[in-house]
Amino acid sequence: MSGYNSDWGLHVWKQWLEPTTADGPKTQLVTLWLGANDAVLPNELQAVPLDRFKANLRAIVALVHERCPEASIVLITPTPFHPEGWLDERVRRGLTREHDRARERTSEYAEAVRQLGRELHLPVADAYTPVDAEMRQLGPDKEGTVFTDGLHLNSGAYKHVVNGASSASLLALATDRRSGGGRRSAVFQSWTLTGPLSCCSRRQGDRVALPGQGARRAPPPLPLLEGHPCAMLSASQCLFELMLTSDTLLLSVRAATAGGASPSR
């Protein structure tokens, strides 16, 4: 949901998220990555006050618990941005060369996601901290190279999001299994319309139908991929396959289509 804030996101989730049915597909994993747009300066159209941002995330989490009680949930923090690079991008878009964001404000929204994770006992993928660390390591002259436009990460920097979300997802699924979730065997196909959605889950050898493709056998589990060029939750429709065995949980990431737009933030 490119450009959406949590106000608009909550509205869409209420309309889009259908309750789980006994004979329908089961949502395995929900990742919520909001905050970058909410954190714009207060006079901007997308701005959402911090308290309401947290309330919106609570409401989305409650909605998922209500309609998809079998789903595991992971929160992802917004990432930093590069002010000069984003100003250049604003000019390229025909906007004024004026700041609509502040680093300190984005950091506050990232911390709010961490706090909410502790409050709701949900795993949090902290994408802010490692991206900020890489920027500091590069220094003022090169920190902008982490981004494609000052706001959206480049393919290399998305490793921080992928690694954090992968670890948090495994933790969420493992915790839910220990609490009685049991083996997950339902197939839930790749999302097509909105950013944060669920993963596909199946056993090796099962025949599955992918969007726009015929049935084929599911590939064997792969190890976690470091710095995969395919960004997690991107509009390029990456296919996330949760390979569950009796003792282990492995996450493999495969691009269902080549290329694509940047992930919803």
Side-chain angles (χ1 to χ4, degrees):
M1 297 186 290
S2 178
Y4 276 52
N5 61 24
S6 62
D7 282 345
W8 308 331
L10 175 59
H11 180 73
V12 169
W13 276 76
K14 287 179 177 178
Q15 295 186 66
W16 170 82
L17 186 62
E18 296 185 359
T20 297
T21 59
D23 58 348
K26 305 297 186 295
T27 301
Q28 305 290 314
L29 178 69
V30 172
T31 59
L32 298 178
W33 192 10
L34 293 165
N37 295 318
D38 299 70
V40 295
L41 297 178
N43 60 320
E44 297 294 330
L45 177 64
Q46 296 168 303
V48 174
L50 191 60
D51 288 345
R52 193 165 84 229
F53 168 66
K54 294 173 70 174
N56 287 341
L57 284 185
R58 289 191 193 95
I60 295 175
V61 169
L63 187 69
V64 173
H65 284 321
E66 175 189 347
R67 298 187 184 181
C68 305
E70 75 288 346
S72 300
I73 302 174
V74 168
L75 306 179
I76 307 176
T77 69
T79 57
F81 72 101
H82 184 243
E84 288 302 313
W86 181 238
L87 285 177
D88 292 341
E89 177 62 19
R90 283 178 56 85
V91 171
R92 283 193 290 270
R93 296 183 182 190
L95 303 173
T96 59
R97 190 177 176 83
E98 297 177 343
H99 290 290
D100 63 346
R101 300 170 182 272
R103 280 179 163 175
E104 297 77 11
R105 189 170 167 87
T106 301
S107 178
E108 290 175 356
Y109 281 68
E111 177 57 27
V113 174
R114 299 185 198 101
Q115 292 176 358
L116 197 62
R118 292 191 290 269
E119 173 190 324
L120 301 178
H121 306 289
L122 295 175
V124 174
D126 184 357
Y128 186 97
T129 299
V131 173
D132 183 61
E134 182 173 345
M135 293 174 66
R136 292 175 185 274
Q137 184 178 16
L138 290 172
D141 293 337
K142 295 183 178 180
E143 64 179 10
T145 60
V146 173
F147 305 89
T148 61
D149 57 8
L151 178 62
H152 300 94
L153 301 174
N154 64 28
S155 59
Y158 265 119
K159 66 179 180 291
H160 301 302
V161 181
V162 172
N163 292 341
S166 298
S167 299
S169 299
L170 293 177
L171 176 60
L173 289 163
T175 299
D176 286 351
R177 291 185 77 208
R178 288 196 298 269
S179 64
R183 181 185 178 94
R184 302 171 187 265
S185 58
V187 173
F188 194 87
Q189 286 192 345
S190 176
W191 52 268
T192 57
L193 295 179
T194 58
L197 191 59
S198 58
C199 299
C200 293
S201 174
R202 55 186 151 277
R203 297 181 298 271
Q204 180 180 351
D206 287 351
R207 297 195 67 81
V208 296
L210 300 180
Q213 303 179 31
R216 65 174 177 81
R217 292 199 176 277
L222 298 175
L224 294 179
L225 302 181
E226 288 280 341
H228 195 282
C230 190
M232 197 166 194
L233 307 179
S234 75
S236 62
Q237 296 188 351
C238 295
L239 178 63
F240 294 84
E241 300 173 353
L242 290 171
M243 304 299 183
L244 309 185
T245 68
S246 58
D247 299 313
T248 61
L249 292 166
L250 294 177
L251 177 65
S252 67
V253 184
R254 294 202 172 192
T257 60
S262 298
S264 302
R265 300 281 302 286

